Amino acid sequence: MTSTSALTTIITEHIQTAPKNRITFREYVNLALYHSQHGYYTTKVSILGPSGDFITSPHLSRDFGELLANQFADMWCALGQPTTFHLVEMGAGQGLIAADVLSYLQQHFPDCYATLNYIIIERSPALRSVQQERLKHKKVSWTTLDALPPITGCLFSNELVDAFPVHIIEKNNNQLQEVYVTTKDNSLKETLGSLSTDKLAQYFDLVEINLLADDYSDGYRTEVNLAALDWLSNVASRIAQGFLLTIDYGHIAQRYYSPARHRGTLKCYYQHRHHDDPYTNIGQQDLTAHVDFTALERYGEKVGFTNVGFTQQGLFLMALGLGDRLANLTQTITPGPDGFNHLIQRRQALHQLMDMTPMGLGTFGVLIQSKGIDCNVSLKGLVVPPLT
């Protein structure tokens, strides 16, 4: 039996023993992505990069991690240069950011590096193994979020929150209903039912969105990421003094829940192609939804965070020196064809990091929240770069 078949059988059995023979879409995604033996994230080591299903910013070049290192050093200074500075990466992929950040801080910010305690929180055993091999000569440790004591420093993530399992809500006959997964004729099917929790209605109150308004057509479908709020509450309890940096693709609530986006943002990624069928390639494809940054900001305030700033990745990286790197490229070229080809590749990578077209990496959201520090703190990455 293939892993896909085995996981489909497990999900089917789970449904058949559940009340009303159905599970929420969130439960389905949680099994598809995180089942301990067959889940997409827990078993595959090649989900990222050219040989995987999608490419993230650190795969393009070392520049992404190195520019982040500039921001982390700036945060260390904003915290008064503590003698122990915790840098906690949540969902570290293949360890590329960690390797680039550590090397850059050691070379360019040795005082900050000397105080550094770099910690990775990784749910996937397969990816954790890759990270430990790549970072075996670096000063890095691994733990769980629940085991992390309150720290002074920064917890950060890149493309983590979009991977949390979401509920799907549909407007039906002027009521909000939830999408459940059930079985029919030996296949997985969707069915509608009442909301599984009051927290779903409370979520829309939080972000001030009324899906029952006339602007939203019957059949309008969208997602709610309650797991992100649970995560945010947990993260807040792990920070004594410091920052939370979240980088991901997403929108503010008004754009996320636009009446025109009537089928939501859910996407499936398989071998660098995206489609809309979450019930195929089970355990072999990524299931992801955009991040509602308004929800993170507002719920963050409820659990003790102060919003420091929200920007886009292109502007964030420009403020941290990406523009200077572009301007200085020709000064570092090695004579000969290989040097010229490297220059072209490097230029392309830098442009991709700040690409502000609708699907470009530069449009990713960057949210920085703080706890236990001066609410008027100014950080380099949030300073609007001058027009040149």
Side-chain angles (χ1 to χ4, degrees), residues 253-274:
Q254 288 295 328
R255 286 192 60 198
Y256 193 116
Y257 298 108
S258 165
R261 189 173 281 112
H262 60 94
R263 300 306 290 174
T265 70
L266 183 76
K267 289 293 180 185
C268 313
Y269 287 88
Y270 182 70
Q271 297 180 352
H272 293 281
R273 296 181 180 181
H274 65 82

Side-chain angles (χ1 to χ4, degrees), residues 310-322 353-356 361-364 366 380-385 387:
F310 176 69
T311 187
Q312 291 181 301
Q313 177 173 297
L315 297 175
F316 180 68
L317 296 180
M318 286 290 287
L320 293 172
L322 188 149
L353 288 174
M354 65 176 186
D355 179 7
M356 300 293 281
L361 292 171
T363 62
F364 278 32
V366 179
K380 288 182 179 179
L382 297 176
V383 176
V384 178
L387 296 176

